[in-house]
Each structure stands twice: as structure tokens, then as C-alpha cells.
Amino acid sequence: MKNILSINKQAIYGGLITTTIIALGVFLLGNISGYEAKKLLTSSMQGLNMLCNTIVLASATILALLLTLLGISTGSETKLKETHYKQVLNIAKFDTILFISALVLFQFFNIPITEADNVDVSWYKYIYWATLFSSSVISGMMVATVLMLYGTVSNIIAIVGLKKSDHRLLIDDDEEDDEDKTTKEP
């Protein structure tokens, strides 16, 4: 876990900043009554559904793009360090969590809660805050995922496209010799 945080520090900070900004905007709305929350929930459900739908589609697309990235990584003439593949695996894990979270929220937002007669009006305030908080979290996660993907893609561009021979993710000759020695020893 510590390695994931250290490698993807900028992406995680970007996601946290996004979540904080959105949550701060929600917080500035102030205290609302249950009836106001019910009205706001009714008007915001379509947008929340669209957000979740977009994130589900984007995260599924990102998983498919990671396969392409792996094809480029393994098909290149250069040998990449294990760190690159761990970074791709971390993006896949994070993106899968995002996909599942957005899908669950999408299903939750499709429940016609504002039309239910047996829900006490005071509960709408909590439901409203929970939906806004959860949407800000998945938005931040989406930003973090895209930033992690950007970092990985820019590394591949530098190595494969720009043919940088001194990149930190390339196995140099000394490391290759050490790797050969460990595979030949019984």
C-alpha cells in the first residue's frame, strides 16, 4: 500500500484536491431542511445518474486501454522494470474499485426514493448529503485514475516513442546481467 502511495503521489493528491473542492462546494450550501433536500434530490438525480454512467463507461474504457498499454510495453524492444507493470496493475485495481463504486451508486441513484411515501422528510437531508459526498468521492477517484494513467502513458511515450535510453523504468545492462545470473543459478 505504501508503494502505491509513493508511486502515485501526484495522482492521489489530484484526486483528493478534486474531492475536497467538490465537497467544499457542497458544504457551502449550508444546512438545509428535509423538504428542501427532497426538492434538491429530485432535481439532481438526473445529473448524478449521468455522472455515474459516465464514470462507469470511462473506467471500463480505461481497463481496455490498459490491455493496449501492456501490449505496447511487452512488444517493445526495450526491457521494462517490474515497477512499470506494478504501476499498470495498481491503475487496474484502482480503476476496478472505481468501476464497482460508480455502478453501485448508479443503481442506488435509480431508486425512486423521492417518490416514496413512507420515508420521513427528515431523512432526505442525510440522503442528500450522502449522495453529494459519494459523488464527490467518485469524481476524485476518476481524476486520480486519469492522472495515474497519464503518468504511465507518458513514461511509455518517453521510452518507446522518444527512445529515451536513460529512463528510470528501463532495465540497464548491469541489472540485466544480475537478472541473468539469478535465472541461471539452480
Side-chain angles (χ1 to χ4, degrees):
M1 181 69 173
K2 184 179 178 184
N3 194 20
I4 293 172
L5 294 176
S6 63
I7 291 173
N8 301 303
K9 198 180 302 184
Q10 290 177 331
I12 304 251
Y13 286 152
L16 287 173
I17 289 169
T18 302
T19 301
T20 303
I21 289 171
I22 294 170
L24 183 64
V26 169
F27 179 73
L28 291 175
L29 285 175
N31 197 11
I32 58 174
S33 69
Y35 179 72
E36 289 171 316
K38 183 177 181 178
K39 269 180 44 179
L40 291 172
L41 256 174
T42 303
S43 64
S44 65
M45 275 304 172
Q46 184 179 3
L48 293 171
N49 277 329
M50 194 180 315
L51 172 70
C52 288
N53 188 28
T54 303
I55 289 178
V56 164
L57 291 172
S59 59
T61 303
I62 288 171
L63 282 173
L65 291 173
L66 287 177
L67 290 173
T68 304
L69 179 72
L70 284 174
I72 292 169
S73 301
T74 56
S76 71
E77 300 166 359
T78 56
K79 291 189 178 186
L80 297 169
K81 290 182 181 177
E82 188 177 297
T83 306
H84 167 71
Y85 297 101
K86 285 182 180 179
Q87 190 174 13
V88 173
L89 181 62
N90 290 336
I91 295 169
K93 287 178 185 177
F94 198 78
D95 191 55
T96 302
I97 292 168
L98 174 61
F99 178 85
I100 293 168
S101 302
L103 189 60
V104 168
L105 284 174
F106 181 71
Q107 291 299 322
F108 176 72
F109 292 154
N110 279 314
I111 298 171
I113 193 112
T114 56
E115 296 176 23
D117 294 332
N118 58 350
V119 177
D120 187 21
V121 175
S122 63
W123 277 96
Y124 287 111
K125 178 171 58 172
Y126 302 113
I127 295 169
Y128 179 71
W129 288 110
T131 58
L132 292 179
F133 175 74
S134 59
S135 65
S136 67
V137 168
I138 63 169
S139 295
M141 287 176 69
M142 188 68 209
V143 168
T145 302
V146 169
L147 289 174
M148 289 186 333
L149 185 60
Y150 171 76
T152 303
V153 167
S154 61
N155 287 334
I156 289 297
I157 289 171
I159 294 168
V160 176
L162 302 177
K163 307 233 185 279
K164 284 196 173 183
S165 58
D166 60 341
H167 198 276
R168 65 179 175 79
L169 291 177
L170 284 174
I171 296 177
D172 60 10
D173 294 334
D174 296 335
E175 290 172 321
E176 195 171 304
D177 291 339
D178 291 341
E179 192 176 288
D180 289 340
K181 288 178 186 175
T182 58
T183 57
K184 289 180 182 177
E185 291 178 6

